[in-house]
Amino acid sequence: MQVNKIELINFRNYEEKIMEFKSGVNIIKGPNAIGKTNILEGISMFSIGKSNRAVREADTIRHGESRARLKMEFTARGRENTAEIEIFKNKRKIIKVNDIPIKKSSLLLGKFNAVYFGPEYLSLVKDGPSIRRKNTDIIISQLRPAYFEEISKYKKIIENKSAMLKSGNINSEVLSIFNETLAGSAASITVLRREYIKKIEETASKIQSEISGGREELSIKYISSIGNIEGYSEEEIRESYISELSRIKSRETERRECLIGTHRDDIEYLINGYSAKKYGSQGQQKTCVLVQKIAEVYLIKNEIGEYPVLLLDDIMSELDGTRQNYVMKNIKDMQIIITSADEAFADNNYLI
């Protein structure tokens, strides 16, 4: 899989920006705050159907303009493709693949695959669980577009249930219906998250051992808000949710909030059996994130038969020499696009 060309019009700080890329390593070099990250954001949008940085996509439109347009030429599964995304201030975006309009973002998923790794992900281990859930959801959605639909469905259930709880005007029958649908959706999400975390762990643990010279064993565990569900089937998880939601019904009503669900689940990283968040050094935490991102690359390769594009946003300066060397020596046979303000990456680059 390869990005051949991207065109950004009125996107972020660019009035118009066109960049062409080659196979192998591409380095976008230049000082900070000139828009290097915006190029990777634009590329990433074609893999997940939305911005990986903006809460509101209208915020990606260049100041003073009413719309932004992104167009990308890429190779996937041996075929040359084009895709376009047009973003507006006050209406839904328009997406086209090979000049054919598609009705919703989920239909873009799987057409182009990319793994993004920026400095914000270095806090993946030590920050709150939302960033860990989001990262997992992005990878699964690229491989299982139906999962994206399930996440969207679940969010609507939670929003509607939360609105009723907060209002204080609670209809017991309606609350039971919300809980029933929530249990089914949550079970479906949990099974896929747990499956993919296990797949990532298999590869990540091997890489962690290699980088640490065999001194560190990495485990990645999915933590459900309803307790230990290891080995549970989807139906057993659904039944556990129904039971737990029934048990805490009065507490949710009293506190006026949704107390359990996949929006409260977490992912835990353990080094030699100890929490990397609580006891890991900063270097160990960074390594956990690095090996997870590399594992995501191999996971996608195993699932679709070709490597995704790897987007490294000014991340090399955050890694020490050992980790930099590992990345450059062990991620081969794929297209890598790196942004950097570091003069050490002066060779073989595309200057902005």
Side-chain angles (χ1 to χ4, degrees):
M1 195 160 294
Q2 179 175 315
V3 179
N4 300 316
K5 180 179 178 181
I6 190 163
E7 180 179 359
L8 308 175
I9 297 175
N10 294 326
F11 181 75
R12 294 292 190 182
N13 64 315
Y14 292 117
E15 180 177 4
E16 182 177 15
K17 183 69 180 178
I18 300 174
M19 291 198 75
E20 296 184 1
F21 299 94
K22 60 180 183 179
S23 59
V25 178
N26 298 259
I27 301 177
I28 304 172
K29 181 178 173 294
N32 292 325
I34 63 167
K36 301 187 301 297
T37 295
N38 300 339
I39 296 169
L40 297 195
E41 179 185 13
I43 294 171
S44 176
M45 284 186 71
F46 289 96
S47 70
I48 60 176
K50 60 182 180 179
S51 169
N52 63 346
R53 297 167 63 206
V55 176
R56 293 175 62 254
E57 285 193 334
D59 294 338
T60 66
I61 299 173
R62 187 167 177 259
H63 182 69
E65 301 293 337
S66 60
R67 64 181 181 176
R69 179 172 170 269
L70 302 88
K71 182 175 182 179
M72 192 170 80
E73 298 175 10
F74 65 99
T75 304
R77 299 164 183 83
R79 178 182 174 182
E80 301 300 315
N81 301 273
T82 63
E84 296 180 45
I85 300 175
E86 198 164 7
I87 303 166
F88 302 90
K89 284 285 187 183
N90 299 309
K91 65 178 182 177
R92 294 182 64 180
K93 61 178 176 261
I94 295 174
I95 302 175
K96 295 180 182 179
V97 177
N98 296 323
D99 296 322
I100 300 173
I102 61 176
K103 293 183 179 180
K104 47 188 178 180
S105 298
S106 61
L107 296 176
L108 179 64
L109 297 170
K111 307 292 186 187
F112 168 75
N113 298 97
V115 170
Y116 172 85
F117 186 15
E120 65 271 27
Y121 279 102
L122 289 174
S123 61
L124 189 71
V125 173
K126 65 182 180 181
D127 277 5
S130 62
I131 187 174
R132 292 186 283 277
R133 291 192 301 266
K134 178 182 177 181
N135 183 68
T136 302
D137 290 344
I138 285 172
I139 295 299
I140 301 175
S141 293
Q142 289 190 58
L143 299 170
R144 299 284 185 272
Y147 177 81
F148 181 88
E149 296 287 349
E150 194 65 60
I151 288 288
S152 299
K153 171 186 170 184
Y154 178 82
K155 286 180 179 177
K156 289 178 182 176
I157 296 169
I158 289 295
E159 285 171 2
N160 290 333
K161 179 181 174 181
S162 295
M164 187 177 72
L165 289 172
K166 288 177 182 177
S167 72
N169 185 21
I170 299 167
N171 182 307
S172 182
E173 185 176 337
V174 173
L175 182 57
S176 294
I177 293 171
F178 280 145
N179 286 343
E180 187 79 24
T181 54
L182 187 155
S185 184
S188 178
I189 291 167
T190 299
V191 166
L192 273 174
R193 280 183 179 171
R194 186 180 61 183
E195 174 189 344
Y196 277 88
I197 289 298
K198 284 183 177 179
K199 289 180 178 180
I200 287 171
E201 181 191 37
E202 289 176 9
T203 302
S205 61
K206 294 175 184 177
I207 300 171
Q208 183 88 17
S209 179
E210 288 176 11
I211 291 180
S212 66
R215 295 185 301 273
E216 295 175 358
E217 180 181 344
L218 174 66
S219 300
I220 308 175
K221 304 300 179 187
Y222 189 73
I223 311 298
S224 172
S225 63
I226 58 171
N228 184 10
I229 54 165
E230 187 64 31
Y232 281 30
S233 67
E234 182 172 334
E235 179 58 26
E236 288 172 329
I237 295 171
R238 189 189 72 84
E239 289 174 357
S240 294
Y241 260 109
I242 290 173
S243 175
E244 192 65 12
L245 285 164
S246 177
R247 187 183 69 82
I248 66 167
K249 192 173 182 179
S250 60
R251 189 146 56 97
E252 286 191 320
T253 301
E254 183 180 316
R255 293 180 56 173
R256 299 190 179 188
E257 63 178 321
C258 301
L259 297 177
I260 62 171
T262 55
H263 63 295
R264 290 181 175 269
D265 291 354
D266 200 357
I267 296 157
E268 184 178 27
Y269 298 81
L270 304 171
I271 298 177
N272 297 333
Y274 293 93
S275 168
K277 180 175 182 178
K278 292 181 180 178
Y279 304 110
S281 67
Q282 188 175 38
Q284 287 174 321
Q285 291 175 348
K286 284 184 179 181
T287 302
C288 286
V289 180
L290 172 63
V291 300
Q292 163 142 350
K293 285 296 173 182
I294 297 174
E296 289 171 8
V297 168
Y298 288 113
L299 172 62
I300 292 175
K301 167 65 164 59
N302 291 338
E303 291 266 336
I304 68 172
E306 63 180 332
Y307 285 107
V309 175
L310 179 59
L311 308 174
L312 301 178
D313 184 18
D314 203 21
I315 200 67
M316 301 304 281
S317 61
E318 298 285 345
L319 304 175
D320 62 24
T322 300
R323 294 174 179 85
Q324 283 187 16
N325 289 336
Y326 189 91
V327 171
M328 300 312 294
K329 288 181 180 179
N330 290 276
I331 301 183
K332 299 177 181 178
D333 304 319
M334 72 185 75
Q335 186 184 49
I336 307 173
I337 303 176
I338 304 174
T339 66
S340 179
D342 191 336
E343 291 298 325
F345 289 93
D347 295 333
N348 191 31
N349 63 55
Y350 286 96
L351 298 176
I352 293 188

